[in-house]
Amino acid sequence: MHRCASAQLAVARGDQEGAREHLSAAFALAAEPGYVPVLAEIGVAAAAACLACGDAELAAELLGAASALHRGPDSFHPDATELGRRLTDVLGRDVHTVAVERGRARDRADALALIDAQVRRR
């Protein structure tokens, strides 16, 4: 969780490279034991990093993938809720909904693969 929080701080500071380094390390630590709640949190942080890099549609899909790992909407998660609002503003409701649903439609393995690919991307 520390690495995930550090990634979120890096995104807030505009340090995308630092965010990816923290996210990659967090994913590696959480993936081996398969700790799904932390992996979902990493998905939310990866979505925020994608939005900060200008890829809002991928960010929405990542948010959906994180939701799929939770097996339900992240309405209880304040970061995911706020990110969803920002993504809706950027993409518009229809595009946002389609991208989130594309992420939510993924099974666990596909959701994890999408998140992993984004946190390792340089």
Side-chain angles (χ1 to χ4, degrees):
M1 289 298 284
H2 169 75
R3 294 290 250 174
C4 190
S6 295
Q8 291 169 322
L9 289 171
V11 168
R13 289 191 312 262
D15 179 9
Q16 300 311 314
E17 183 63 29
R20 293 222 186 271
E21 287 175 19
H22 288 296
L23 287 170
S24 181
F27 190 92
L29 288 170
E32 187 172 325
Y35 192 52
V36 176
V38 173
L39 292 166
E41 178 72 24
I42 293 165
V44 173
C50 280
L51 177 59
C53 288
D55 198 343
E57 193 166 345
L58 178 57
E61 187 172 355
L62 283 163
L63 198 58
S67 179
L69 293 177
H70 277 294
R71 293 197 166 100
D74 287 320
S75 58
F76 63 89
H77 188 297
D79 292 336
T81 301
E82 175 57 27
L83 182 57
R85 284 188 199 115
R86 289 180 21 222
L87 288 166
T88 299
D89 290 345
V90 170
L91 294 169
R93 184 165 307 282
D94 292 342
V95 173
H96 173 261
T97 298
V98 168
V100 168
E101 288 306 319
R102 191 169 50 242
R104 279 189 188 140
R106 292 174 178 265
D107 64 19
R108 181 179 177 191
D110 285 344
L112 289 172
L114 176 67
I115 294 166
D116 185 35
Q118 295 314 305
V119 301
R120 294 181 192 281
R121 178 174 90 163
R122 296 276 178 211

